[in-house]
Amino acid sequence: MRVQVNGSYSSWVYVLSGVPQGSVLGPSCSYFMLMTCRPDWIKSSIKMFVDDTKLWTTISDVDDKQKLQDDLRKLNEWSDKWLLKCLLDKCRVMHDGHNYQTEYYMEQDSKLCKLIEATKEKDLGVITTCDLKPAQQCAEAAKKATAILRLIKQHFYDMNIPTFKILYKTFVCPHLQYCVQVWSPNLRKDIDCLKRIQKRATKLVQELRHSTYNERLCRNFFTLNEGLHNLRDHKYKLYKSRSHLNIRKFFFSQ
């Protein structure tokens, strides 16, 4: 592999593994290779995507622990065979529960190395902890959203409601809602942690700054039908827009 910059080339370097970062073809090639040589002899549950592999099982007794250790050994041998060498510095072990929290090993340079035990791990932007509670994910999401709010406050001092909706939904909401179906905050302290972001955000609107939080959350979801045509109409009748598709015709606001 070599690099070209403005018509000049670097010297050739022999690359043992990996694909160019940011390429379209790289992940596809990696995925094709993994699916072609995917190990089918693993007894534990396994998930593989590009260069990321997860192995897990329920440990009820010593035999289950030994089966997982055997799978790790076979996976290590398989990775060496297919020139996809495991980096033990990036390998982690996480225990969910209190039973059989034993040590696990993988081989590197003909030596057995103990895998690092982790209490939390970030996977595709979601923090998973050994107690499976989303507190750290909520704190991390709130931290990122707060940083974005500071930037919005610095550059948009006098905002109206339409501008605020665009900025909040585009830059703040993605941090608070990313994979929320997975971590799903259910404790009051975690919900309040995220709600404080919304309370702080709605105060950025000049015309809503002195209103209560409940008043700031009011939305005109329904529209009254102002055009009265016959005796059967009344002033509380809701406006219903014309719809071409059933998915819109039977929507809640319709």
Side-chain angles (χ1 to χ4, degrees):
M1 185 177 293
R2 66 177 180 176
V3 179
Q4 176 191 5
V5 178
N6 295 330
S8 300
Y9 292 89
S10 66
S11 57
W12 287 98
V13 176
Y14 184 68
V15 180
L16 298 177
S17 62
V19 294
Q21 294 293 321
S23 67
V24 178
L25 186 60
S28 300
C29 290
S30 298
Y31 181 78
F32 175 75
M33 180 177 180
L34 285 175
M35 293 303 101
T36 303
C37 57
R38 181 185 178 93
D40 54 359
W41 32 258
I42 294 291
K43 297 180 180 179
S44 306
S45 300
I46 185 173
K47 287 292 183 181
M48 305 178 71
F49 181 74
V50 190
D51 61 345
D52 191 11
T53 302
K54 298 175 183 64
L55 201 68
W56 74 94
T57 188
T58 301
I59 307 296
S60 302
D61 50 35
V62 179
D63 292 337
D64 292 336
K65 185 262 179 185
Q66 188 59 44
K67 290 178 183 178
L68 181 58
Q69 181 61 66
D70 291 340
D71 286 341
L72 287 172
R73 176 182 55 81
K74 294 177 182 178
L75 185 64
N76 201 5
E77 295 173 353
W78 172 87
S79 64
D80 290 340
K81 174 183 176 182
W82 290 96
L83 304 180
L84 298 170
K85 190 175 181 63
C86 292
L87 297 178
L88 296 190
D89 293 339
K90 294 185 177 181
C91 294
R92 299 288 187 272
V93 174
M94 182 180 293
H95 300 284
D96 175 22
H98 304 285
N99 297 330
Y100 297 101
Q101 294 192 7
T102 56
E103 300 174 349
Y104 294 91
Y105 298 85
M106 292 184 72
E107 186 175 337
Q108 186 178 43
D109 299 329
S110 302
K111 296 180 180 178
L112 280 180
C113 300
K114 177 185 174 183
L115 295 181
I116 302 173
E117 295 186 12
T119 57
K120 69 174 182 178
E121 194 70 23
K122 179 179 285 188
D123 182 28
L124 298 177
V126 177
I127 300 176
T128 303
T129 59
C130 57
D131 58 4
L132 300 181
K133 293 181 179 180
Q136 295 193 34
Q137 176 70 25
C138 293
E140 186 70 18
K143 181 180 178 181
K144 293 180 179 179
T146 301
I148 297 297
L149 283 180
R150 291 198 190 101
L151 292 176
I152 293 177
K153 186 177 181 180
Q154 291 174 3
H155 294 84
F156 298 89
Y157 177 75
D158 189 8
M159 275 192 301
N160 54 24
I161 294 179
T163 302
F164 168 76
K165 285 183 178 180
I166 295 175
L167 293 174
Y168 185 74
K169 292 180 179 179
T170 304
F171 299 106
V172 181
C173 279
H175 294 292
L176 303 178
Q177 298 176 354
Y178 176 73
C179 286
V180 71
Q181 297 88 348
V182 177
W183 44 282
S184 184
N186 49 44
L187 298 179
R188 175 55 57 187
K189 66 181 185 67
D190 296 332
I191 296 176
D192 290 342
C193 176
L194 300 177
K195 187 180 291 185
R196 282 193 292 269
I197 302 298
Q198 188 164 266
K199 285 184 178 181
R200 192 178 301 116
T202 51
K203 282 189 175 181
L204 297 179
V205 183
Q206 188 72 25
E207 57 188 285
L208 301 178
R209 190 166 297 173
H210 301 291
S211 303
T212 63
Y213 179 58
N214 290 335
E215 292 173 347
R216 295 199 299 271
L217 292 182
C218 288
R219 298 289 182 269
N220 294 325
F221 193 67
F222 299 104
T223 303
L224 294 177
N225 189 2
E226 298 179 353
L228 303 179
H229 302 289
N230 51 57
L231 296 177
R232 293 182 180 274
D233 288 336
H234 52 82
K235 62 179 181 179
Y236 299 109
K237 186 176 181 179
L238 298 177
Y239 171 76
K240 185 176 181 180
S241 60
R242 293 184 179 181
S243 308
H244 298 287
L245 301 176
N246 286 337
I247 192 173
R248 176 62 182 162
K249 180 180 179 180
F250 299 106
F251 193 67
F252 178 69
S253 59
Q254 292 287 77

